[in-house]
């Protein structure tokens, strides 16, 4: 009987389970559909706590409506949807009877956004960066996002220690003032720049290539020593382009790392370079598939020459010249594609310029975007294309490079988009401008002038016209100088450089020749290229020279030069006509084939200048000066430097060359000699005054090398040299003045020579150089100087 009762109870439980199992499978709906859960149906939705937001707006974000069964999962989804709007600081949903009560706390509206503590970054810049603006809804998430944006701005300025804390000031009617409290901290500067993997070029040479500079004594005057990740990316490209121009087509910057130094005072930047092998140009050919275009007629456009050091920029320039030449022959859609053929065995790259017809597409419009200061024409004149011309991608790319080379823009991008027809294209030239004004200081010391210094203010984009202007003040214990220079780099929108200069300088030659000189005037100039790297400049100058403060014991030649009608050895000078006007025209031709003009290791530079004075004025002479410099890499670290210079001046029309127009030479020309240390001299005067000469020449042979056992990053290097030269042929006035004093005028064209060594240091204050010279040959009246020291820094 007992067993039967147990079996019966088990059957009852089984029946009950089977009856409930469909409802379990249906979930919440099954429970609420029955009579026991009729109260779970939502009959109304009430919104409370809202002030600005309409109730219907709140209800639109809910995942349920009246008449729906109450669901906990839909309530959670509704809360998330309301928070996602950014309108609410807090949201709660309660179920009371058959009513759902949605309680919200609205985020306040921003009345004002302010910044406190910002001195390095102006407020306008910060306002442009943040997303929260007046009359927008405040949320803590957006405020934190703006904090990060502000920190990014400060990091671009090198202020990595900056911190930002957003604070709100409660106002009435659910409004707030948002204040970003900024602690800027000290700027994080670049303590060192190192290079790994460079063998062909020294660290010092590569530092001259990049835009970032190391911290120095006067770096508060410039911003390039502040760490900037964006500038590092630019530097990587500058290094790569430098190697491509100097014989290394496979060179790449494999890494650029910036690490805080051990003392946490600045960054150490390291560029890892894979140079690859050096290459020269192999065979250079031109192929054309265009009828009527003879490749042989285009060889004059080739700037790439067999056997020359590989230079990617010369390939681009050659392609541009070929494109223009073929276009002039009537093939507007011609396309030039350089095809390199490298030979790893001989380390040569043969170049074949393939000329064919490109797609027939015309330029519908050229838009210039982003130039808030620079005028449109400054940008458009760098294009060799105009609206309506045939589109040529090579010409567009060359225009982009020319714009980048102007130095007016931080970034340049030329975007292409479809025009109004399939054969039309629109070019959008997008530029990002950068600061073009510069305040520069110079300071140093030299054994010839003592303490020297200069200050200059320059602007490379005057009034947005792309013009250059500079005012420079310079001086020392023996010199005072003021220069104003203006240059229009694209005169008449052509490849002509025009400008003018105004100058004033006063020189003290009391210790060497017993007088002081004053010179003031100006010139106008016009320069233009004849060929690649060959430049011509013509000028006209008008100036007034004056000799004054002549010493009582000065040479008779000097007293005569100042207009003393009856000069005597011991009497005070009676200077009556100490000033004169010079009106001259001049022409200078220069050819620059150096690999790095600022710090060359290979190539040469030649300059010839000719001046003719006498187009009005008092002085009448013609003058020729010439200079040549040669650089040859003996090894990767050792460079041979050769230099030859010379000049002569001669009067015409019965006029003698005046004393102030003569050449005065010394240790700056042949080391081992004092300032104005060799050349014609009045040995009968109390101070054996130098009188200058009408002819001179000088030559230098120098070998530069890194100092052994000294880390290269210190910047020390050495040199050994041999100098020779001469200055002779005193002016006619000097010869006449001393004709009555036999033996007083000493004048010889004998060779003066010296040998010695130098120590050079790229110091934090700029380049320093110490020369130690032993004179080998000289005249008895020459004045020597064993040690010569000079320093000048540009910032």
């Amino acid at each position: 009987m007992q067993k039967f009762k147990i079996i019966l109870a088990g059957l009852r439980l089984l029946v009950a389970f089977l009856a409930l199992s469909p409802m379990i499978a249906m979930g919440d709906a099954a429970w609420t559909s029955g009579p026991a859960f009729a109260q779970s149906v939502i009959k109304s939705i009430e919104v409370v706590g809202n002030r600005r937001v309409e109730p219907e707006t709140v209800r639109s974000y809910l995942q349920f409506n009246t008449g729906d069964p109450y669901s906990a999962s839909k309530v959670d989804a509704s809360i998330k949807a309301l928070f996602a709007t950014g309108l609410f600081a807090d949201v709660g949903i309660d179920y009371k009877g058959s009513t759902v009560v949605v309680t919200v706390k609205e985020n306040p509206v921003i009345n004002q956004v302010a910044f406190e503590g910002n001195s390095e970054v102006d407020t306008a810049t910060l306002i442009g960066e943040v997303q929260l603006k007046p009359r927008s809804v405040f949320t803590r998430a957006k405020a934190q996002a703006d904090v990060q944006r502000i920190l990014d701005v400060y990091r671009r300025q090198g202020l990595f220690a900056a911190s930002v804390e957003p604070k709100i000031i409660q106002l009435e009617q659910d409004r707030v003032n948002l204040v970003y409290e900024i602690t800027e901290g000290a700027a994080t500067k670049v303590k060192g720049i190192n290079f790994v993997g460079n063998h062909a070029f020294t660290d010092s040479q590569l530092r001259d290539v990049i835009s970032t500079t190391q911290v120095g004594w006067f770096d508060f005057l410039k911003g390039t020593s502040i760490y900037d990740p964006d500038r590092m990316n630019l530097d990587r490209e500058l290094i790569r382009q430098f190697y491509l121009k100097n014989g290394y087509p496979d060179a790449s910057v494999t890494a650029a790392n910036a690490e805080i130094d051990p003392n946490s005072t600045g960054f150490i930047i390291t560029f890892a370079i894979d140079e690859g092998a050096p290459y020269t140009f192999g065979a250079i050919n031109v192929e054309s598939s265009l009828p009527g275009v003879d490749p042989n007629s285009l060889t004059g456009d080739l700037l790439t020459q067999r056997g020359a050091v590989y230079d990617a920029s010369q390939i681009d320039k050659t392609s541009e010249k070929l494109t223009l030449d073929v276009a002039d022959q009537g093939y507007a859609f011609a396309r030039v594609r350089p095809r390199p053929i490298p030979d790893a065995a001989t380390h040569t790259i043969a170049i074949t310029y393939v000329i064919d017809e490109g797609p027939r597409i015309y330029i519908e419009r050229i838009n210039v975007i982003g130039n808030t200061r620079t005028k449109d024409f400054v940008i458009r004149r760098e294009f060799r294309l105009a609206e309506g011309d045939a589109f040529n991608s090579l010409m567009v790319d060359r225009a982009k490079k020319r714009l980048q080379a102007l130095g007016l823009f931080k970034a340049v991008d030329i975007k292409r988009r479809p025009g109004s027809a399939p054969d039309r294209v629109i070019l959008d030239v997008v530029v990002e401008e950068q600061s073009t004004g510069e305040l520069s200081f110079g300071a140093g010391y030299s054994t010839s002038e003592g303490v020297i210094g200069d200050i200059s203010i320059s602007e490379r984009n005057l009034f947005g016209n792309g013009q250059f202007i500079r005012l420079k003040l310079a001086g020392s214990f023996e010199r005072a100088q003021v220069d104003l220079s203006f240059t229009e780099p694209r005169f008449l929108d052509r490849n002509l450089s025009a400008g003018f200069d105004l100058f004033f300088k006063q020189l003290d030659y009391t210790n060497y020749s017993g007088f002081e000189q004053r010179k003031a005037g100006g010139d106008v100039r016009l320069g233009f290229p004849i060929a690649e790297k060959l430049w011509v400049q013509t000028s006209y100058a008008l100036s007034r020279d004056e000799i004054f403060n002549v010493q009582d014991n000065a040479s008779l030649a000097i007293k005569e030069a100042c207009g003393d009608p009856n000069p005597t050895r011991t009497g005070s000078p009676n200077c009556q006509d100490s000033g004169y006007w010079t009106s001259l025209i001049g022409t200078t031709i220069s050819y620059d084939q150096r690999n790095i003009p600022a710090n060359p290791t290979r190539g040469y530079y030649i300059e010839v200048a000719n001046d003719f004075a006498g187009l009005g004025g008092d002085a009448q002479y013609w003058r020729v000066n010439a200079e040549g410099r040669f650089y040859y890499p003996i090894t990767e670290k050792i460079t041979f430097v050769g230099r030859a210079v010379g000049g002569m001046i001669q009067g015409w029309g019965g006029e003698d060359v005046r004393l102030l127009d003569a050449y005065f030479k010394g240790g700056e020309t042949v080391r081992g000699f004092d300032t104005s240390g060799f050349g014609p001299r009045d040995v009968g005067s109390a101070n054996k005054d130098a009188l200058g000469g009408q002819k001179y020449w000088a030559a230098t042979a120098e070998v530069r090398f890194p100092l052994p056992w000294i880390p290269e990053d210190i910047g020390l290097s050495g040199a050994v040299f041999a100098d020779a030269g001469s200055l002779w042929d005193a002016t006619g006035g000097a010869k006449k003045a001393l004709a009555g004093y036999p033996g007083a005028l000493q004048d010889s064209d004998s060779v003066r020579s010296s040998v010695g060594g130098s120590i050079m240091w790229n110091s934090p204050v700029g380049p320093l150089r110490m020369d130690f010279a032993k004179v080998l040959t000289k005249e008895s009246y020459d004045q020597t100087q064993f040690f010569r020291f000079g320093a000048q820094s540009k910032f």
Side-chain angles (χ1 to χ4, degrees):
M1 188 67 180
Q2 186 66 26
K3 292 181 179 180
F4 176 76
K5 290 181 178 180
I6 293 173
I7 293 171
L8 182 61
L11 290 173
R12 288 175 178 172
L13 288 174
L14 178 60
V15 171
F17 176 76
L18 293 174
L20 291 173
S21 58
M23 299 180 66
I24 294 174
M26 293 175 65
D28 290 348
W31 290 97
T32 57
S33 62
F37 301 97
Q39 71 275 16
S40 296
V41 175
I42 299 172
K43 294 184 178 180
S44 63
I45 299 174
E46 182 180 347
V47 178
V48 296
N50 59 308
R51 295 187 178 183
R52 300 183 312 274
V53 182
E54 294 294 331
E56 286 304 318
T57 301
V58 177
R59 293 189 183 98
S60 67
Y61 289 100
L62 299 177
Q63 307 298 308
F64 52 82
N65 295 307
T66 55
D68 292 345
Y70 182 82
S71 169
S73 61
K74 291 184 178 181
V75 167
D76 290 340
S78 299
I79 292 175
K80 292 177 181 178
L82 288 169
F83 270 120
T85 64
L87 299 173
F88 308 106
D90 193 15
V91 177
I93 298 180
D94 298 315
Y95 186 60
K96 298 179 179 179
S98 58
T99 301
V100 173
V101 180
V102 181
T103 305
V104 296
K105 181 180 179 182
E106 294 177 350
N107 277 319
V109 172
I110 297 174
N111 177 65
Q112 183 181 2
V113 178
F115 304 88
E116 294 182 356
N118 58 307
S119 59
E120 295 295 329
V121 180
D122 59 84
T123 300
T125 300
L126 295 177
I127 289 175
E129 288 291 330
V130 298
Q131 299 298 308
L132 288 176
K133 309 287 185 183
R135 294 186 298 277
S136 64
V137 176
F138 171 84
T139 69
R140 294 196 176 276
K142 289 182 179 179
Q144 289 302 321
D146 283 346
V147 165
Q148 188 58 48
R149 291 187 180 93
I150 295 171
L151 290 175
D152 289 342
V153 173
Y154 274 93
R155 284 170 181 157
R156 290 197 294 270
Q157 299 289 333
L159 297 167
F160 283 78
S163 61
V164 181
E165 183 177 355
K167 292 189 175 181
I168 58 173
I169 301 174
Q170 297 288 345
L171 304 175
E172 58 184 8
Q173 297 179 351
D174 239 6
R175 294 177 302 122
V176 295
N177 285 340
L178 175 59
V179 180
Y180 293 99
E181 294 184 352
I182 302 171
T183 303
E184 293 182 330
T188 310
K189 298 195 174 182
V190 177
K191 299 295 290 294
I193 302 175
N194 301 320
F195 300 88
V196 178
N198 56 309
H199 304 290
F201 303 100
T202 65
D203 286 12
S204 176
Q205 289 172 319
L206 294 178
R207 290 190 192 104
D208 289 339
V209 172
I210 62 178
S211 60
T212 304
T213 58
Q214 296 180 135
V215 65
W217 290 4
F218 298 95
D219 55 44
F220 62 90
L221 300 172
K222 58 184 179 179
T224 54
S225 63
I226 297 173
Y227 172 68
D228 184 347
D230 293 336
R231 190 182 291 119
M232 273 186 62
N233 293 331
L234 170 63
D235 289 340
R236 293 184 67 159
E237 181 61 19
L238 290 175
I239 294 171
R240 191 181 74 87
Q241 291 295 334
F242 173 76
Y243 271 94
L244 287 175
K245 289 179 62 177
N246 287 279
Y248 291 84
D250 299 326
S252 63
V253 181
T254 57
N257 299 318
E259 299 179 348
I260 292 287
D261 73 334
N263 298 323
S264 299
T265 57
F267 279 94
I268 304 295
I269 296 177
T270 303
F271 293 97
I273 301 172
D274 181 6
E275 291 184 333
Y279 278 76
T280 58
F281 283 118
I284 309 296
N285 298 300
V286 179
E287 295 180 359
S288 174
S289 61
L290 299 177
V293 175
D294 181 10
N296 295 325
S297 67
L298 301 173
T299 55
D301 294 329
L302 300 178
L303 302 176
T304 49
Q305 302 296 327
R306 183 170 190 159
V309 174
Y310 177 86
D311 184 346
S313 67
Q314 295 294 79
I315 298 176
D316 292 340
K317 292 175 182 178
T318 299
S319 299
E320 181 180 12
K321 292 191 69 175
L322 289 170
T323 300
L324 292 173
D325 197 341
V326 174
D328 289 341
Q329 297 181 35
Y331 296 90
F333 297 97
R335 177 176 57 186
V336 178
R337 293 177 295 168
R339 185 174 64 205
I341 307 172
D343 186 341
T346 60
H347 287 176
T348 60
I349 297 181
I351 305 293
T352 299
Y353 296 95
V354 180
I355 304 174
D356 57 15
E357 188 169 7
R360 291 181 172 270
I361 301 176
Y362 296 90
I363 299 174
E364 179 176 325
R365 192 167 64 253
I366 299 177
N367 299 322
V368 180
I369 303 169
N371 55 318
T372 57
R373 182 166 178 241
T374 306
K375 295 178 180 177
D376 275 17
F377 76 87
V378 176
I379 298 170
R380 292 180 182 273
R381 70 188 181 190
E382 298 303 323
F383 282 79
R384 303 297 182 261
L385 298 168
E387 292 166 343
D389 287 351
F391 173 79
N392 188 294
S393 59
L394 170 67
M395 303 292 286
V396 173
D397 184 60
R398 291 291 299 148
K400 177 179 178 180
K401 292 181 179 179
R402 279 191 291 268
L403 287 171
Q404 292 170 331
L406 291 177
L408 307 181
F409 309 109
K410 185 183 296 183
V412 178
D413 190 19
I414 301 179
K415 299 178 180 179
R416 173 184 171 184
R417 56 189 175 93
S420 58
D423 63 344
R424 297 289 187 271
V425 65
I426 297 174
L427 299 179
D428 292 330
V429 185
V430 183
V431 298
E432 182 181 352
E433 294 179 316
Q434 64 180 2
S435 174
T436 54
E438 183 177 339
L439 174 65
S440 303
F441 287 83
Y445 178 84
S446 84
T447 51
S448 60
E449 294 188 56
V451 177
I452 57 179
D454 64 65
I455 178 173
S456 68
I457 302 173
S458 63
E459 171 59 57
R460 290 178 285 118
N461 192 13
L462 184 65
F463 304 127
N465 293 320
Q467 299 162 335
F468 174 84
I469 189 169
R470 180 179 64 188
L471 175 64
K472 181 178 179 180
L473 308 176
S476 68
F477 291 146
E478 298 182 353
R479 173 175 54 93
Q481 189 170 344
V482 181
D483 294 288
L484 176 65
S485 178
F486 171 83
T487 301
E488 167 56 73
R490 291 289 188 272
F491 184 57
L492 301 177
D493 285 337
R494 297 178 179 272
N495 196 15
L496 301 173
S497 174
F500 67 85
D501 304 285
L502 300 175
F503 52 84
F504 170 85
K505 63 180 177 180
Q506 185 168 310
L507 305 172
D508 186 354
Y509 292 121
T510 303
N511 294 331
Y512 315 111
S513 300
F515 69 90
E516 293 184 49
Q517 175 189 358
R518 185 181 295 120
K519 187 181 185 73
D523 65 56
V524 291
R525 46 190 160 75
L526 178 69
F528 53 92
I530 297 178
E532 185 72 18
K533 300 187 178 181
L534 181 62
W535 187 264
V536 174
Q537 179 167 294
T538 60
S539 63
Y540 169 78
L542 179 65
S543 62
R544 181 169 177 80
D545 292 84
E546 182 181 359
I547 184 171
F548 69 101
N549 198 19
V550 176
Q551 302 299 297
D552 293 348
N553 58 0
S555 168
L556 290 176
I558 295 170
K559 292 179 180 180
E560 187 273 339
C562 79
D564 189 341
N566 298 299
T568 62
R569 278 292 188 189
T570 57
S572 298
N574 181 21
C575 296
Q576 297 180 1
D577 186 19
S578 59
Y580 61 93
W581 289 94
T582 301
S583 173
L584 66 81
I585 57 172
T587 302
T588 301
I589 301 177
S590 60
Y591 184 78
D592 193 348
Q593 193 65 36
R594 295 171 295 178
N595 61 339
I596 317 169
N599 190 10
T601 59
R602 185 183 65 250
Y604 56 91
Y605 175 85
I606 300 173
E607 179 180 290
V608 178
N610 178 63
D611 297 320
F612 179 83
L615 301 177
D618 304 311
Q620 294 183 182
Y621 63 80
W622 62 273
R623 178 174 57 199
V624 177
N625 293 308
E627 180 181 7
R629 292 176 238 160
F630 175 74
Y631 305 86
Y632 179 77
I634 299 174
T635 68
E636 292 179 350
K637 305 292 185 180
I638 302 175
T639 302
F640 171 79
V641 180
R643 177 174 180 260
V645 61
M648 68 175 295
I649 183 171
Q650 190 72 44
W652 66 274
E655 290 287 332
D656 290 327
V657 174
R658 299 174 185 248
L659 181 76
L660 298 183
D661 295 321
Y663 298 109
F664 288 81
K665 297 297 176 181
E668 79 288 343
T669 306
V670 178
R671 284 164 284 194
F673 289 86
D674 202 354
T675 302
S676 299
F678 65 91
R681 189 176 299 275
D682 180 2
V683 297
S685 63
N687 293 324
K688 296 181 172 57
D689 293 332
L691 303 180
Q694 298 182 97
K695 301 179 181 70
Y696 86 97
W697 67 270
T700 294
E702 182 173 288
V703 177
R704 299 173 182 173
F705 52 86
L707 293 177
W709 307 297
I710 295 179
E712 187 177 304
D713 56 3
I714 294 179
L716 280 171
S717 61
V720 292
F721 61 83
D723 291 346
S726 185
L727 171 66
W728 71 100
D729 192 11
T731 62
K735 294 175 182 177
K736 295 173 184 177
L738 298 174
Y741 298 85
L745 176 60
Q746 295 294 315
D747 187 358
S748 172
D749 62 357
S750 63
V751 176
R752 279 76 162 183
S753 62
S754 65
V755 294
S758 303
I759 297 176
M760 296 166 285
W761 181 30
N762 287 323
S763 72
V765 297
L768 306 178
R769 179 166 184 141
M770 294 176 285
D771 294 319
F772 304 87
K774 169 65 176 176
V775 173
L776 299 180
T777 58
K778 71 180 186 68
E779 292 297 320
S780 60
Y781 51 85
D782 291 337
Q783 297 179 2
T784 61
Q785 181 186 68
F786 171 72
F787 173 72
R788 187 178 184 89
F789 172 80
Q792 188 166 6
S793 178
K794 300 283 185 185
F795 312 106

